[in-house]
Amino acid sequence: MSDRNIYLKTIPVLEAVAIAIAALDRATLVKPENIPVHEALNRVTSEAVRARCSSPTYHSAAMDGYAVKSDTTFSAREGLPLELIKNKTCISVNTGNALPDGMDAVIMIENIVDNGDTISIEAPAFPWQHVRRIGEDIVATEMLLPRNHTISAFDIGALLSAGIYDIKVHEKIRMTFIPTGDEILPFADRPTPSAGEVIESNSQVFRALALGLGIEFTATSPVRDREDLLVKSVETALNNSHIVVIGAGSSAGSKDFTSKVIKQIGTLLVHGIAIMPGKPTVLGVAKNKLLVGAPGYPVSAVVCFEDILTPVISWLSGKNPPEREKVQVRLARRTPSKPGMEEIIRLAVGKVGTGYTGVPLARGAGMITTLTKAQGFTRVPAGSEGIELNESVEVELFSGKQTLENILMHVGSHDNTIDLLGDILMGANTPIRLVSTHAGSMGGLTALKNDVALFAGAHLFDPESGDFNFPFIDRYLPNLDVTVINLAIRHQGFIVPKGNPQKITGIESLSDGKVNFINRQRGAGTRILFDYHLEKAKIDPESVTGYDREEFTHMAVAANVLTGTADCGLGIYAAAKALGLDFVPLAHERYDLIIPDKYIQDKRIIALIDLLKSDEIKKAIKILGGYEVPMTGKIMKPGMGLG
Amino acid sequence: MSDRNIYLKTIPVLEAVAIAIAALDRATLVKPENIPVHEALNRVTSEAVRARCSSPTYHSAAMDGYAVKSDTTFSAREGLPLELIKNKTCISVNTGNALPDGMDAVIMIENIVDNGDTISIEAPAFPWQHVRRIGEDIVATEMLLPRNHTISAFDIGALLSAGIYDIKVHEKIRMTFIPTGDEILPFADRPTPSAGEVIESNSQVFRALALGLGIEFTATSPVRDREDLLVKSVETALNNSHIVVIGAGSSAGSKDFTSKVIKQIGTLLVHGIAIMPGKPTVLGVAKNKLLVGAPGYPVSAVVCFEDILTPVISWLSGKNPPEREKVQVRLARRTPSKPGMEEIIRLAVGKVGTGYTGVPLARGAGMITTLTKAQGFTRVPAGSEGIELNESVEVELFSGKQTLENILMHVGSHDNTIDLLGDILMGANTPIRLVSTHAGSMGGLTALKNDVALFAGAHLFDPESGDFNFPFIDRYLPNLDVTVINLAIRHQGFIVPKGNPQKITGIESLSDGKVNFINRQRGAGTRILFDYHLEKAKIDPESVTGYDREEFTHMAVAANVLTGTADCGLGIYAAAKALGLDFVPLAHERYDLIIPDKYIQDKRIIALIDLLKSDEIKKAIKILGGYEVPMTGKIMKPGMGLG
């Protein structure tokens, strides 16, 4: 194992940040620079800023009207008008005009009677009435901004008003990212990857996160897995960066050179942080600059950026770290976690009833979509063994809390028509975001029982009654009043490679174990349907090769068939069609949306139902193929079956 | 009054937004465009996006180790190791490598014993262990993003991983801003304004706010107050903008052409909105584009942007409007408000004790610094007559809630040394923002009584005892335990023009009424000091010209003297020096910081006290001039006087 690294010791995130900060000398690393004020949005002052001019620089009329000397007006009152002579005892002014010499008040145009050469007033003017006095807003020389102040739009207005046109700020922090690895393809070449190849994307995630922090970012060309090449790249990058990030290669593989390279060029500070995902993060320092080994898995890389780099960059920039809005969220599912490590759990979060509920998403560090699907995340502390069902946890949100009001939480069976709903609902004047967690039809019922979703999609076939969904609702949701609305009738069948090489004709083709099947997870309506047909055909599940291999979506089943990992899977026509596969029909089934009556007046559900009743959705579903829409948008009743 | 406009009818903000949205046809106004995915941060999809490739595109090793066929390993257990032959029954893989044909599991490097040509394992591998299966993250053709989705850093990662390199988004909204007015000076000329002149800054505030929304912004050269010129500018701007804003000229003055111009070019929709500041906002439509008359006062202009333009721009962009985090804040002062109009009250907000407190700032629409000093604002509804002391109100924050934890709330007497403290405290590793509201020394004691500040600066001289602050603390804060720490001894005296033309030598010089005095507000320590010296010299306040004219800060007093509005005012040496004025000493006084004992262990107060004890602050105060620092940082006790 001589060619492998070992983790020195994983240390907690906050400690790692403190070590990095302690190793850098900010004052010499980050230089001040002079920039135009009107270009200074979100930049940070490097020294206090004092006003050059006052604002206003003169006593100015605050209203349109007539300037007067207030003590000449004291006799005016209602019924006893006082006459003032234009351009003599009163002078017409517009807002912003300088007060004429000797005058100290303005009478609003609405409060005078115009007599031609004179005006009449029926109330006295008090001194400085409707006058903006010199320096009312800003007094020359006063301190407008302290050092380390992040300049806002308003600050720009104040600075320009105070006659300040240039401002000293900290230079922007410059980060260079070096993607590494023999397997990665530069995205700029617009590749279509083959087995063993990965499109390099972490550099662009880092770039976007860096832009969000207002820093400068450069990505180099990818460097192959050779230590000497990496050393050269890092040394070059160090010349013009405050932070150099080596992408991937920070773990303990035989091609993971990051820690070696850091040791060669500078000092290794941290090898491994006590958080999942994100553990294989490496920190070092060279030439008073930060060297970072970022993990290769996308979610790990993001955690490295957000938990380690963001606080260090904020400190270098003279800012407090940006913060995410936090809400208390009730967890929809028991979520165990390995003690000894903090764990980041991504969650689909929405407002359900009066509170927020969160459905934990998949844990894999390689799944970037767990971040794109999540509204936020919770941290399971190192000392915890996880979170219980219905436990309330603090969630850090990716967007503001208000966003959650427009989220339509769905938990249930996966279907492509759900995505269609989600797309069209985003076209509304107030976009509604359908957040769908795939838990199978039974998972959807459980979610409704736990009151963590606004609706559940289900296609549960009951062999005994020949009906859909209602027998299961009666059994599993006896105390919940629900409305069941049909989304579509869909075709289920065997997804097989183009040309159907194994000549699968029906369920019987699976009985001899020669066909390599890929199954759906327990609780999925498709799994129940499969089991029903197996039983009807008197086929022992044990005899079906691959019966135990489970996927969670139709598309994943189809992808397995496409790539030859499986010969066949049960799924919907749309999935087969999308990947250009063949489809052997097995059955029609009813895919319904189950909506608790207590949410039927929720504005998001109203929007959903309106859409279900529209021609737009029927047309869109038909285009997918493999669906029938005779009952779409109609309220279902027990015993209706396929209509 | 024929040359004046009148407001048609002020209408509520939400109604004005709805009118603007109803008048625009978004589908034809905003075009889609194709852009590279890696440049798409914060852009908004114009149609749903589907994955081109799966991710991973192949079954890949999720760990460094050895790939195996799981069913060949079932016999392995602890104490009964199984030997596998390298490159035959097991193959070395690094994370990300494609799984060799026929293999379906990976054994982590940590869990094997390397024997050279073979490895030994003591536990079986289960199928798909440490394998990222094809499509685990993304399945080709699945919908990744719906329409009207704002693209995040994570989305960019997911899109690139799915082999998507271009994306269809809504074009950026383009806004053109036309500054108008004979009095305005283009900031680009770096002017020093004279009486009647104003530096144009609203265009740059709008620019910064527009950039914050991610839209494109152009400002034209300022246009003079001539209707024909304005018409021409607007028509030109309409060619390449979705929104044209006319800066200023939206009110009812004789030079306010905005509504006329809109009527000439298109249709006037709204003239006047029911909110203060912001009322003189004009909306119109021409060529299916939005025309806006923005008020000239900076705060009004900001309200126009945030309450009217931001929702319209968000809708045009396909987004929900951005939201500000909201907190409940206890109000530090009774704040009446005119019914019939919604009012925006800017507030200094900080965490004091366990809750948030807010001090209302000045109300003037012309004061941009009320926005730069505020942490947020509250809305007094149109039907309300205002807010009571200690009433809890909802405040919309300019930064996140966490920011408030680092705010050090000061209410009390104004002094330049307070600004120095604020500057230096921002230099800490965790910057502390000193937010100082100038309410005079007595106002500071009241603030402590109401528990709305962490400390108060005071320099209250008690003529009877010859002591500072303690007699007042005893009288007004009998039930509050406080620690009093000296900030500085400061020189108070008469601020007079350079050369002291009226030969003011002391308080007696004010007795004959020939000197035009400018006073400080009631409750200010300086006012009390002035009254004391008047009484000692037996001068009737009535005989002092300008006794009733009040300013709230030393710098404002000095500015009045500088510009000749007053001949003389009482203030500190630093203010005279800052404006190059002369100073006639009257007295020394002790400026102390009064800190409730209950906050003495607050981290922000600890940082403050540490600074007070440092040489750094003493040195900085001395540089200002007009201060002595023998007691700076020391705890004061009753009867110590000037030490």
Side-chain angles (χ1 to χ4, degrees), chain A residues 274-330:
Chain A
I275 190 166
M276 296 289 285
K279 181 181 159 201
T281 291
V282 180
L283 298 175
V285 66
K287 300 186 185 172
N288 191 29
K289 291 166 175 187
L290 187 67
L291 296 177
V292 182
Y297 278 139
V299 182
S300 307
V302 166
V303 172
C304 165
F305 193 105
E306 301 246 331
D307 274 13
I308 305 290
L309 292 185
T310 297
V312 175
I313 290 167
S314 300
W315 171 75
L316 284 174
S317 308
K319 299 185 186 186
N320 284 315
E323 42 168 321
R324 301 193 183 284
E325 193 166 2
K326 294 182 182 120
V327 291
Q328 288 293 319
V329 167
R330 186 164 57 85

Side-chain angles (χ1 to χ4, degrees), chain A residues 444-514:
Chain A
L445 296 190
T446 306
L448 294 187
K449 190 174 164 192
N450 292 330
D451 196 18
V452 294
L454 290 176
F455 74 103
H459 53 105
L460 290 160
F461 176 62
D462 178 47
E464 256 174 68
S465 63
D467 199 11
F468 288 91
N469 295 324
F470 283 102
F472 297 84
I473 292 169
D474 290 345
R475 200 172 319 150
Y476 296 104
L477 301 174
N479 301 313
L480 191 71
D481 292 327
V482 298
T483 298
V484 179
I485 300 181
N486 178 252
L487 175 54
I489 303 293
R490 61 181 198 179
H491 305 186
Q492 286 264 24
F494 294 107
I495 299 170
V496 296
K498 192 87 197 158
N500 192 4
Q502 291 185 294
K503 308 279 172 245
I504 290 163
T505 52
I507 193 91
E508 298 76 13
S509 306
L510 304 179
S511 60
D512 62 2
K514 283 182 183 155

